Amino acid sequence: MTAPPLPSWVIRWQRPFPDANLLLLKGRQPALVDSGFVGHAEETAAWAQARTGSVDLVVNTHWHSDHVGGNALLQDMGAAIAAGTPEAEAVARRDPGCCAAEYLDQPVAPYTVDMSVDDGRILRLGDADWEVVRTPGHTPGHLSLWQPDERLLVVGDALSDYDVGWVSRALDGPEAAATALDSLKRLAALDPRVVLPSHGPVPADPDAAFAAALRRARRFVDDPEGGVWYGARRSSRSP
C-alpha cells in the first residue's frame, strides 16, 4: 500500500530523524510548516525559495529545536512566524528551556512570534484555508492543522508514522499522557485522507496509523513506568 497522493500545491520534504520534515504550501501566500534544525537553516531557506520564491509565513507545530531552528533566518528574510498561544507567550518571555535545544545540541537562534494562534483559528496558507487544532500532549501548546477540502491533517509530533509522539511527564506533569491521548482521539475523529507527521513517512493507512498510536497512548496512561522507558528509548535513537 502506498501513501495517499498530495495536491500539487503541497510540497513535502522528509528529512532524516531527528530533524523535522518540512511542508511547503504554495500559492499567493506561501507558507512553511516548521523550519527544522538551526544547522540546516540555510538549506531550508534555499529549498523553500527555489520552489515558491519567498515564504510569507512559518507555522510552528511546537517549539522544539528540530521545528524552529530556521525561524530566525526566515524571519530575517521577511517571513512572519506563527505559533500556538501558550508557546508564543513563552517564547516572548524567553522562558528557561524554551525551544528545548539542549538535549539535541541544536541551540536556537532568537526569533519572535508575530502571530499567536489558538484552537479554531483559520489560517490562509498558500491558497487554502487551514484550521488550527490545538493538540497538547507532546508539548502543552502543540498544534495541528486541518484542511477539510482535501482532508489533509498536519499532526506535528502528535503522531509519528504508526506510533505515538513522545510525551514527557517529567517536564509537563503526570497528566501529559492522558492529554496526548485525548488529542489523538480528536485528530482521529477528523477522519483524514492524508496524515502528515513531522517525522517519518506519510502513513499509507491513516486509520491503521491512528489505531496503533491510540493503543500505545492508552498503554502509557495505564502504565506510566512503561511510558518513561519508552521515552528514554525514543530519545536515544540516532539519526
Side-chain angles (χ1 to χ4, degrees), residues 4-239:
L6 291 172
S8 61
W9 42 268
V10 176
I11 304 176
R12 183 175 180 272
W13 183 5
Q14 183 176 321
R15 281 175 151 173
F17 185 84
D19 204 355
N21 300 330
L22 300 180
L23 195 69
L24 187 63
L25 306 172
K26 297 192 301 180
R28 284 167 290 183
Q29 300 180 66
L32 183 68
V33 180
D34 290 331
S35 63
F37 277 137
V38 67
H40 301 154
E42 291 186 3
E43 183 181 39
T44 295
W47 175 82
Q49 279 192 317
R51 287 154 180 81
T52 64
S54 65
V55 174
D56 289 354
L57 181 66
V58 178
V59 183
N60 293 140
T61 59
H62 59 292
W63 65 358
H64 284 168
S65 61
D66 51 326
H67 296 257
V68 302
N71 283 10
L73 176 59
L74 289 162
Q75 195 163 47
D76 287 344
M77 296 170 66
I81 307 296
T85 298
E87 295 186 2
E89 294 169 353
V91 170
R93 293 192 302 264
R94 297 291 189 265
D95 283 1
C98 184
C99 300
E102 292 83 358
Y103 75 101
L104 291 172
D105 193 26
Q106 286 283 340
V108 174
Y111 66 93
T112 57
V113 176
D114 303 288
M115 184 187 304
S116 177
V117 298
D118 212 335
D119 197 60
R121 174 77 176 266
I122 303 299
L123 297 176
R124 188 72 172 177
L125 308 178
D127 285 334
D129 288 335
W130 294 71
E131 180 183 350
V132 173
V133 184
R134 188 173 176 189
T135 46
H138 182 68
T139 65
H142 189 283
L143 58 84
S144 300
L145 298 167
W146 170 240
Q147 211 297 308
D149 300 324
E150 292 283 348
R151 293 173 52 220
L152 308 177
L153 182 61
V154 174
V155 295
D157 282 4
L159 177 73
S160 180
D161 197 6
Y162 290 80
D163 204 351
V164 67
W166 173 64
V167 175
S168 175
R169 283 186 171 88
L171 291 175
D172 300 320
E175 299 303 316
T179 300
L181 175 58
D182 289 341
S183 291
L184 275 175
K185 291 177 179 177
R186 185 179 183 194
L187 292 173
L190 292 171
D191 189 27
R193 180 181 66 85
V194 183
V195 173
L196 297 161
S198 289
H199 298 285
V202 173
D205 186 338
D207 291 339
F210 273 113
L214 286 165
R215 284 194 298 270
R216 190 181 292 277
R218 289 189 184 100
R219 288 201 298 271
F220 290 166
V221 173
D222 296 337
D223 179 16
E225 185 175 343
V228 170
W229 283 110
Y230 177 76
R233 290 195 298 273
R234 283 288 293 270
S235 62
S236 65
R237 290 178 186 172
S238 59

